[in-house]
Amino acid sequence: RDIIIAIDAGHGGEDPGAIGPAGTREKDVVLEISRRLAAEVNRTEGFKAVLIRDGDYYLGLRQRTQLAREQKADFFVSIHADAFTSPRPQGSSVYALSQRGATSETAQWLADSENRADLIGGVDGSLSLRDKDQVLRGVLLDLTMTATLNDSLSIGGQVLEQLGRVNRLHKSRVEQAGFMVLKSPDIPSLLIEVGFISNPDEERRLRDPVHQQGLSTAIFSGLREHFQSNPPPASLLAWQRDNQRRPTGNEYRIQSGDTLSAIAIRHGVPVNQLKQANDLNGDVIRVGQVLRIPSS
Ligand SMILES: [Zn+2]
C-alpha cells in the first residue's frame, strides 16, 4: 500500500489567515504550496497525497484531523505562513505538538465517546483497545501519543534540515506547541510555517512559484527520508526494504578433495537440499565451482 500524506492548507474561505503588507493572503499561498507538495508526493512511487482542503473554503480544525483519519493518513502536515507585528522577522519554522498538549489531549480523547469508539475499534488495526479495561486504555493511549510525538519530532528534524537549504530558518530546531490541528493521538503530524508573510521580502518570495516549489520539494524530501528509514507496516517501502535485506544464504567455492556429502556435513545441510539449491542431478562437482549453501 501507499504511504498516505495528508496535506492541510491552513485557513480558507471566510478565514484569510494572515495578510501581508502587499495584500497577499495566507490562505492563498499555503494552498498553492500544498498543491505543489501534493503533486510532488503523488509523483513518487509508494506515496499518495490527500489534500485536506483543495479550494477556497473553510474547514474547522477538528474536521481537518477527522478527514485525515478517515483517509487513514500515515502523516499529517499543516501548511501555514507566519505573521508578526513588526516586518522584520523572517524564515521557516516547524512545530510538533508539545508533550503537555499531548497529555491533556489524551485525557480529552478518552472523555470524548466518539473518538473513543473509533480508537477502541482500531483505526487501521494497529491500535485496538477493545479488549482493554479503562485504566489500561488510558495508559496505552498515552504511550501511543508519546510514540506519535517522537515520530513527529524525528520527521520535523528532517524537514527542518531540508527547509534550511532553501530558506532562512526562523527557529533552528523543531518547536513544540499545543496547536489544535496537530492533536490526533495516532497520526504523527507537523505544522510548518513556511515563512513570514508580514516580512515584505518574504511575502514576495512566498508568491514566487519557484520559491513555492523549492519549499514543497524541501518538505517532501524531509518526509521521504524519514519514511524510507521507517516505513510503516504493509507499505510498499517496507516491502522493498524487506526484499532487499532477505538473506541469500552463503556461498562455498569447491576445493580439490571436496565431496558433496562432506560439504553438506560441514555446513549442516542435508545433501539433497544442497543439490536442490544448486540444480545438481548427480554427485559430480568440480574444483572452483561455487555452490549456494541454503540456510537450513
Ligand atoms: Zn496560519
Side-chain angles (χ1 to χ4, degrees), residues 10-11 17-18 26 30 79-82 191 193:
H11 312 279
E26 179 185 355
V30 296
I79 308 286
H80 287 255
D82 236 330
L191 186 144
E193 301 273 14

Side-chain angles (χ1 to χ4, degrees), residues 229-249:
S229 33
N230 309 277
S235 63
L236 177 70
L237 261 60
W239 184 86
Q240 285 171 340
R241 176 201 57 191
D242 295 343
N243 279 272
Q244 269 164 17
R245 289 197 192 152
R246 190 173 52 195
T248 52

Side-chain angles (χ1 to χ4, degrees), residues 78-237:
S78 196
I79 308 286
H80 287 255
D82 236 330
F84 196 62
T85 45
S86 134
R88 209 116 44 87
Q90 56 176 312
S92 311
S93 324
V94 175
Y95 289 88
L97 183 61
S98 69
Q99 186 66 60
R100 189 142 43 100
T103 308
S104 67
E105 185 66 4
T106 305
Q108 201 181 323
W109 267 83
L110 281 170
D112 183 335
S113 60
E114 246 179 87
N115 290 336
R116 204 166 59 212
D118 190 11
L119 261 187
I120 288 171
V123 178
D124 55 1
S126 62
L127 174 72
S128 177
L129 304 180
R130 197 186 301 281
D131 56 342
K132 313 291 189 294
D133 72 38
Q134 190 120 31
V135 174
L136 192 53
R137 277 176 192 169
V139 173
L140 289 176
L141 196 48
D142 226 10
L143 287 174
T144 305
M145 194 58 119
T146 307
T148 306
L149 187 54
N150 288 341
D151 270 354
S152 304
L153 289 170
S154 145
I155 301 170
Q158 311 255 41
V159 168
L160 200 62
E161 194 191 314
Q162 294 294 331
L163 276 173
R165 296 180 184 186
V166 297
N167 202 29
R168 211 182 282 263
L169 292 181
H170 181 58
K171 296 275 173 63
S172 58
R173 37 165 295 177
V174 178
E175 299 290 299
Q176 288 186 263
F179 289 111
M180 173 108 68
V181 284
L182 299 180
K183 290 176 176 178
S184 193
D186 51 355
I187 305 177
S189 53
L190 291 176
L191 186 144
I192 299 176
E193 301 273 14
V194 285
F196 276 82
I197 205 168
S198 49
N199 175 298
D201 179 51
E202 203 155 34
E203 176 190 24
R204 185 183 47 73
R205 301 218 308 142
L206 284 173
R207 283 204 314 244
D208 174 5
V210 176
H211 185 57
Q212 289 181 351
Q213 189 57 45
L215 290 167
S216 323
T217 305
I219 294 168
F220 183 53
S221 302
L223 294 182
R224 197 181 48 209
E225 235 164 84
H226 170 84
F227 283 110
Q228 270 166 352
S229 33
N230 309 277
S235 63
L236 177 70
L237 261 60

